[in-house]
Amino acid sequence: MAVDLTPKQPTKSYGGDGGAYYEWSPAELPMLGVTSIGAAKLSLAAGGMSLPSYSDSAKVAYVLQGKGTVGIVLPEATKEKVVSVKEGDALALPFGVGTWWHNAPESATELVVLFLGDTSKGHKPGQFTNFQLTGSSGIFTGFSTEFLPEPVAEDRKDMALNCLEAKLDVDIPNGGRVVVLNTVNLPLVKEVGLGADLVRIDAHSMCSPGFSCDSAYQVTYIVRGSGRVQVVGPDGKRVLETRIEGGSLFIVPRFHVVSKIADASGMEWFSIITTPNPIFSHLAGKTSVWKAISPEVLEAAFNTTPEMEKLFRSKRLDSEIFFAPN
């Protein structure tokens, strides 16, 4: 039976004056259960704190908004790392890591953090289980700064990568930009077992149809903007065509081809891929698989003439994975 791939918004799980915790449920987004992926968001008001806790799952955290502080206790560590974080920061949190999060009392904005991770070792496939070490709900407000450790600059090394400031892996003028998280620029990704990327495409630009060729799932959260997405299955049938907006999450099954086109506002998304160093193939552009196939095979495959094959091959084959509007 086909699984519903429709993008979904999260549901508030609990919270108070200090902040709230939102999550996507496998009951509403069935692919979470199929892929054993969890997805949640933490939002902290000024002065809010998410008290120390640990999870049953390895995760990637991405700061969607604001600035704050996170305390991280790695397995078998004798001292926590206290890291200053801001919008665009990505952190790899291996299985068994303890964390707390804090938004400064003088902050003008909420601190909002996205969590995407592997629940295959967890209590509930497709949903995080968090164990609070103190407090009833795990979120308090009104903490005085003297009761909290100050961030330590050297603690940030190898713990966080700012995707908005990092070196771009792809940069297409008027098309789009990509930063990829992997075991090179964020070593803890290897322990988490997930790769991740931040993609930003400009107004009316298109992300080339592509698929993961190493049996990985792709879990995508739309950070901002809007547009359209199409997903095509291995049998050539379209399994999803819909409009997507900021705040929604959807999952691309293994070997399915996905493409996105931005509206006038452009579009930005953060994704995890269920392998630490993912490999993608694209069906258009400079790296298209069609470019590598011999003309004779293309002519036979499409039952066409050499002239039509040359015309087909000439379209967009000098472009990268993003196509700016004509």
Side-chain angles (χ1 to χ4, degrees):
M1 186 173 71
V3 179
D4 182 10
L5 301 180
T6 305
K8 301 289 185 181
Q9 297 277 342
T11 301
K12 183 177 179 179
S13 179
Y14 59 84
D17 292 339
Y21 183 79
Y22 304 83
E23 58 185 345
W24 285 265
S25 166
E28 298 178 350
L29 188 58
M31 279 298 296
L32 291 173
V34 173
T35 61
S36 290
I37 293 294
K41 282 200 302 185
L42 174 68
S43 177
L44 293 176
M49 182 178 184
S50 175
L51 293 176
S53 67
Y54 67 95
S55 174
D56 63 351
S57 307
K59 304 175 183 177
V60 173
Y62 182 72
V63 180
L64 296 168
Q65 175 184 303
K67 297 180 180 179
T69 304
V70 57
I72 303 171
V73 181
L74 295 170
E76 301 182 1
T78 58
K79 183 181 179 183
E80 70 179 352
K81 292 182 179 291
V82 182
V83 180
S84 177
V85 294
K86 64 180 180 179
E87 180 179 342
D89 277 347
L91 301 91
L93 304 175
F95 184 81
V97 164
T99 60
W100 54 260
W101 299 80
H102 179 245
N103 191 8
E106 65 276 11
S107 177
T109 62
E110 291 185 337
L111 174 64
V112 184
V113 185
L114 172 72
F115 301 99
L116 302 174
D118 175 17
T119 67
S120 60
K121 297 180 181 179
H123 286 265
K124 304 174 184 177
Q127 196 164 7
F128 299 131
T129 301
N130 298 313
F131 301 90
Q132 306 295 336
L133 299 180
T134 57
S136 57
S137 67
I139 297 178
F140 284 359
T141 188
F143 270 70
S144 301
T145 55
E146 62 264 25
F147 291 108
L148 292 170
E150 289 294 319
V152 180
E154 52 265 33
D155 281 356
R156 185 178 167 87
K157 182 181 179 182
D158 294 333
M159 294 301 302
L161 175 74
N162 191 277
C163 297
L164 299 176
E165 300 173 354
K167 179 182 177 181
L168 296 171
D169 293 280
V170 177
D171 185 9
I172 309 301
N174 301 315
R177 292 151 294 286
V178 181
V179 170
V180 179
L181 277 69
N182 52 40
T183 55
V184 176
N185 55 21
L186 195 60
L188 281 176
V189 163
K190 183 176 182 180
E191 295 187 38
V192 173
L194 301 168
D197 60 19
L198 178 70
V199 181
R200 290 166 285 170
I201 60 175
D202 297 323
H204 304 300
S205 291
M206 176 181 179
C207 182
S208 167
F211 64 97
S212 169
C213 53
D214 50 4
S215 189
Y217 293 98
Q218 184 176 1
V219 185
T220 298
Y221 174 83
I222 307 302
V223 177
R224 57 178 55 87
S226 60
R228 298 197 63 82
V229 60
Q230 287 187 353
V231 179
V232 177
D235 57 1
K237 294 182 179 179
R238 188 178 303 160
V239 294
L240 178 67
E241 180 174 5
T242 190
R243 189 172 184 274
I244 47 178
E245 297 179 334
S248 59
L249 183 89
F250 72 99
I251 300 174
V252 179
R254 293 181 295 180
F255 304 114
H256 283 54
V257 177
V258 59
S259 181
K260 308 178 190 74
I261 301 177
D263 289 339
S265 59
M267 190 158 53
E268 178 178 336
W269 63 86
F270 184 82
S271 299
I272 63 165
I273 301 93
T274 57
T275 180
N277 291 296
I279 301 172
F280 282 92
S281 288
H282 290 270
L283 303 183
K286 185 181 293 186
T287 58
S288 166
V289 294
W290 297 120
K291 190 172 183 178
I293 295 176
S294 65
E296 294 80 8
V297 171
L298 278 179
E299 291 169 26
F302 290 100
N303 190 27
T304 189
T305 64
E307 292 75 20
M308 184 60 69
E309 186 279 327
K310 290 179 181 177
L311 179 62
F312 170 83
R313 191 182 292 273
S314 69
K315 299 299 183 182
R316 295 286 199 179
L317 285 185
D318 289 329
S319 302
E320 295 287 352
I321 64 172
F322 301 124
F323 304 146
N326 291 325

